[in-house]
Amino acid sequence: MDIINILPDSVANQIAAGEVVDRPASAVKELLENALDAGATSIQLIVKDAGRTLIQVIDNGCGMSENDAILCFERHATSKIHKANDLFAIRTMGFRGEALASIAAVAQVELKTRLHDDELGTQIIIEGSEIKEKTQCSCCSGTSISVKNLFYNIPARRNFLKKDSIELSHIEEIFKRVALSNFNVAFTFHHNGRLLYDLKASNFAQRIAGIFGANYNQRLYKIEEDTEPVKIFGYVGKAEYAKRIRGEQYLFVNGRYIKHLGLSAAVEKAYNELIPEHTYPAYFVLINVDPSRLDVNIHPTKTEVRFIDEQVIFAILRAATKKALGQYVLATELDFNPSTEIDFSPAPKNHIPEAPKITYNPSYNPFHSAPSTSTSASTAHSRSIEIESFPEPEPIESVPVNSHQELNYLGHYIITTLKSGIAIIDQQRAHERILYERLLSRRESGITTAQQLLFPINCRFNSSDSELLTELIPDLKQVGIIVSSLGQNNFVVTAAPSDFKESEMQQILEQTINDYKNNMLQKFSDRDKSICLSLARQMAVDADTILKPEEMQSLIADLFSCQAPNISPSGKRTMIILSEQDLAERFK
Ligand code: ADP
Ligand code: MG
């Protein structure tokens, strides 16, 4: 008995469509890229309900003839490749002729298009790959495609979509990538009737500022390198703005957004000592190479790419980044900190220089924790930062600490003796625990120890972050951060707990939103806790900070007065205690 069937076209199309269009954002990407390929200089993106009900792209590009308007929905219909060889010189975004066929298979699509020189345009309505209507119409020159009710005929996929804020943030990410690399094209983006972005044709720096906020201009250095195998142009973030997550990292090769571990590493390595471990700089880099030196045999909807001159390109990119960082770091130091300039004026004749004096305190014992008056202790700890948030250590009965507590560092760890043994403490995790419980208890007690700021701080975020921040306003209030929306993605912070650095407010909020976003994706259930966790992690001292003995002391006292001193809020060990028994075991 024969058992093989040929799948009907409608089914085959739906299956193939799944590869190209898996969520609203991927349809947005295809439509924007088609508009760019059509030579548009102005593109409007209109979205309703995070793309569920409507995705519309209107462009002023070349438009299509009546025949092409019908053909464009056929699979493998493309105007971009005529012969196999064209593949190796591809400069357009799409070339497989699959996008519109796929979209039309899973949505209700309305196309209006007109060639510049034609008087009338064509309107086509197509649903589930079936043309329902074809009429002549009067419309603007260029193309407008409306994709309605995406996945209307595949309930499983429709149900699989995430909540609107998440789908919208995917769309927004696609929009940013496309708008960044096509800064000479004007874009608008409306969601549910609200104008989220209004970007005029501009240069790259202005485009970055238009998308991420005007304050980005001060956060970035320019990088530029014009060599034979590769041309590099763009902006890399100043080290002090590095973040704990890989957020704003954009690489474009020949105008296409790509992800490339090697290239990212090349940029990040240039920062090697400048930023703490596990923090990541922002970068926006446009790379141009001869298309024939690129491997195009990679799925166009993917973001990977392979270079023939890979090693050379890495080296050049890394050097260019280093140059930008090195040069400018020096320049700003000289500009803003003239006191660090060294006086090289010649000494007067017969001047006998005095031998430098060294003062030291012979009674200083680094293993004793009593605050030392000698300067030698504090200069040795010159890397320590002010930890204003530490209250005076209160005598807490339950603290199992010896009265003659000895404190010392072994690498990054604080070593101390307790009544019950030796404790080895990870100060960063310990501090996270302390701050976390403090924030939680603030919230639970309802006592918001918010302090009115003398000067309110203005912050600005991108649209999806602004939406999330608006959701978080009541939660932030509970931990003492009072934020109000000023509209148009602008916010003002009027109060914050005293242990916040005001200068870092924007960054703190950005990171909190990002953590919240990630937690949401991972279905972190308790959102209040997730905010306290995020804030605690940002405010905690890092492992490299060398605390003064009295700071170590109060850290340990605070840790032992926590409800769960043994684990950090993210579930990692804060300390190891070796009891006498443990030691006896080891000496066996
Ligand atoms: P591809 O972009 O890979 O060629 P698509 O399915 O995305 O495949 O588009 C098919 C064809 O339809 C394109 O090659 C192009 O000729 C035409 N087309 C699509 N969108 C537009 C547009 N916005 N303006 C003009 N022509 C378009
Ligand atoms: Mg295309």
Side-chain angles (χ1 to χ4, degrees):
M1 187 181 80
D2 303 334
I3 53 169
I4 295 179
N5 277 325
I6 302 287
L7 288 176
D9 268 359
S10 59
V11 178
N13 278 340
Q14 282 188 11
I15 294 171
E19 251 189 66
V20 185
V21 187
D22 60 350
R23 62 183 345 150
S26 37
V28 169
K29 173 176 180 283
E30 296 298 338
L31 297 180
L32 291 177
E33 289 183 348
N34 278 347
L36 290 165
D37 285 344
T41 56
S42 172
I43 298 175
Q44 291 167 258
L45 170 63
I46 298 162
V47 173
K48 292 215 171 101
D49 304 317
R52 251 175 256 268
T53 40
L54 177 72
I55 299 166
Q56 184 177 12
V57 171
I58 305 170
D59 69 55
N60 65 352
C62 63
M64 283 181 265
S65 67
E66 189 180 328
N67 274 341
D68 283 353
I70 296 169
L71 257 184
C72 73
F73 292 109
E74 295 284 323
R75 197 159 293 280
H76 305 304
T78 179
S79 54
K80 299 165 197 174
I81 300 182
H82 294 283
K83 48 191 189 299
N85 237 4
D86 290 351
L87 262 178
F88 298 97
I90 207 81
R91 280 196 182 269
T92 56
M93 296 292 167
F95 53 84
R96 289 162 50 117
E98 275 184 332
L100 290 183
S102 298
I103 291 170
V106 295
Q108 297 157 336
V109 178
E110 186 190 290
L111 166 72
K112 282 183 182 174
T113 188
R114 176 164 76 82
L115 295 171
H116 284 263
D117 296 337
D118 285 0
E119 219 149 86
L120 283 177
T122 310
Q123 171 170 352
I124 286 181
I125 294 175
I126 178 166
E127 290 181 17
S129 307
E130 238 179 83
I131 294 187
K132 298 279 178 188
E133 209 182 301
K134 195 200 88 179
T135 46
Q136 282 198 323
C137 70
S138 57
C139 55
C140 298
S141 80
T143 302
S144 158
I145 298 192
S146 303
V147 176
K148 295 176 188 163
N149 303 319
L150 189 65
F151 304 133
Y152 77 103
N153 50 355
I154 318 180
R157 203 168 267 282
R158 201 171 167 83
N159 295 336
F160 197 66
L161 294 177
K162 299 268 173 13
K163 58 186 256 194
D164 279 9
S165 57
I166 294 186
E167 292 301 338
L168 180 63
S169 73
H170 283 286
I171 293 177
E172 200 177 355
E173 184 56 32
I174 293 293
F175 176 81
K176 283 187 207 165
R177 291 174 188 174
V178 172
L180 273 173
S181 54
N182 296 281
F183 47 81
N184 50 355
V185 175
F187 288 90
T188 60
F189 177 6
H190 284 85
H191 181 245
N192 289 345
R194 205 157 77 86
L195 179 62
L196 300 187
Y197 291 90
D198 184 2
L199 306 170
K200 309 271 175 280
S202 61
N203 62 30
F204 195 32
Q206 289 165 334
R207 182 53 55 91
I208 294 169
I211 293 175
F212 295 95
N215 55 357
Y216 263 70
N217 281 344
Q218 297 126 41
R219 296 189 183 192
L220 303 170
Y221 295 126
K222 183 154 112 183
I223 80 169
E224 199 166 9
E225 204 63 64
D226 197 342
T227 63
E228 186 36 50
V230 61
K231 294 191 195 342
I232 294 170
F233 178 81
Y235 295 88
V236 296
K238 294 182 184 175
E240 64 264 36
Y241 292 105
K243 293 184 184 175
R244 287 224 192 171
I245 50 151
R246 284 173 199 279
E248 283 125 19
Q249 301 191 325
Y250 293 89
L251 286 175
F252 301 92
V253 172
N254 294 357
R256 185 190 291 276
Y257 171 85
I258 57 138
K259 288 200 173 103
H260 195 294
L261 287 180
L263 288 177
S264 304
V267 176
E268 286 178 20
K269 273 200 184 131
Y271 284 81
N272 54 16
E273 302 274 276
L274 292 175
I275 56 175
E277 230 186 312
H278 306 305
T279 63
Y280 305 95
Y283 53 80
F284 308 87
V285 180
L286 307 171
I287 295 171
N288 273 293
V289 296
D290 181 341
S292 67
R293 311 294 289 169
L294 270 180
D295 185 349
V296 289
N297 197 11
I298 284 181
H299 198 287
T301 64
K302 296 248 169 76
T303 47
E304 283 123 46
V305 71
R306 278 210 305 266
F307 301 95
I308 293 172
D309 315 290
E310 208 155 77
Q311 292 308 322
V312 183
I313 292 175
F314 293 173
I316 295 172
L317 180 58
R318 185 172 164 198
T321 311
K322 267 197 143 154
K323 191 163 105 187
L325 293 171
Q327 264 182 5
Y328 289 94
V329 169
L330 199 64
T332 48
E333 267 174 14
L334 293 178
D335 284 346
F336 298 117
N337 207 357
S339 61
T340 60
E341 278 177 45
I342 301 163
D343 183 6
F344 285 114
S345 53
K349 259 189 186 167
N350 304 328
H351 171 80
I352 301 167
E354 239 176 275
K357 285 202 188 84
I358 298 168
T359 49
Y360 68 100
N361 174 359
S363 65
Y364 173 68
N365 179 340
F367 300 112
H368 279 164
S369 54
S372 160
T373 47
S374 119
T375 51
S376 56
S378 49
T379 40
H381 298 303
S382 60
R383 281 204 294 149
S384 70
I385 56 158
E386 292 291 315
I387 305 179
E388 290 152 21
S389 58
F390 283 171
E392 283 300 304
E394 287 165 34
I396 299 158
E397 271 165 22
S398 62
V399 180
V401 181
N402 266 336
S403 48
H404 285 289
Q405 193 185 9
E406 298 191 336
L407 292 161
N408 199 3
Y409 274 113
L410 174 62
H412 285 320
Y413 302 104
I414 300 174
I415 312 283
T416 183
T417 49
L418 309 174
K419 281 181 186 143
S420 54
I422 297 172
I424 303 159
I425 296 168
D426 181 315
Q427 66 183 24
Q428 180 172 356
R429 293 181 188 171
H431 198 195
E432 281 174 16
R433 163 56 60 187
I434 296 164
L435 293 168
Y436 177 67
E437 290 201 5
R438 204 175 284 166
L439 286 166
L440 277 183
S441 71
R442 250 181 219 164
R443 186 182 60 113
E444 275 152 18
S445 67
I447 308 167
T448 40
T449 44
Q451 293 192 358
Q452 213 64 31
L453 299 174
L454 203 51
F455 300 104
I457 301 168
N458 289 310
C459 300
R460 190 188 151 82
F461 302 90
N462 62 43
S463 310
S464 69
D465 282 2
S466 295
E467 264 175 42
L468 287 175
L469 182 60
T470 309
E471 275 180 36
L472 293 178
I473 286 177
D475 306 86
L476 289 167
K477 189 174 169 201
Q478 289 190 314
V479 295
I481 305 177
I482 299 192
V483 189
S484 332
S485 169
L486 301 175
Q488 301 250 333
N489 303 341
N490 289 309
F491 291 82
V492 61
V493 182
T494 48
S498 55
D499 30 36
F500 273 74
K501 286 224 182 74
E502 291 181 21
S503 59
E504 289 172 3
M505 191 54 74
Q506 165 99 26
Q507 260 177 298
I508 289 173
L509 291 177
E510 274 175 19
Q511 184 71 39
T512 308
I513 295 165
N514 269 320
D515 288 348
Y516 175 61
K517 226 185 286 179
N518 291 338
N519 287 336
M520 244 178 12
L521 291 173
Q522 290 158 15
K523 304 227 164 58
F524 194 111
S525 54
D526 190 337
R527 91 179 206 197
D528 306 0
K529 278 193 180 157
S530 116
I531 289 169
C532 293
L533 172 62
S534 166
L535 292 172
R537 285 172 57 176
Q538 295 180 64
M539 288 154 63
V541 287
D542 59 18
D544 292 327
T545 304
I546 296 175
L547 299 179
K548 295 180 192 138
E550 59 271 27
E551 289 170 338
M552 288 195 223
Q553 188 119 47
S554 75
L555 179 87
I556 293 166
D558 286 351
L559 179 64
F560 281 105
S561 61
C562 282
Q563 288 179 358
N566 289 309
I567 47 160
S568 76
S570 16
K572 299 208 175 107
R573 233 181 235 282
T574 55
M575 66 178 143
I576 294 171
I577 295 182
L578 290 176
S579 65
E580 200 187 340
Q581 229 169 4
D582 294 331
L583 294 174
E585 282 291 313
R586 302 203 131 229
F587 278 110
K588 262 188 189 159

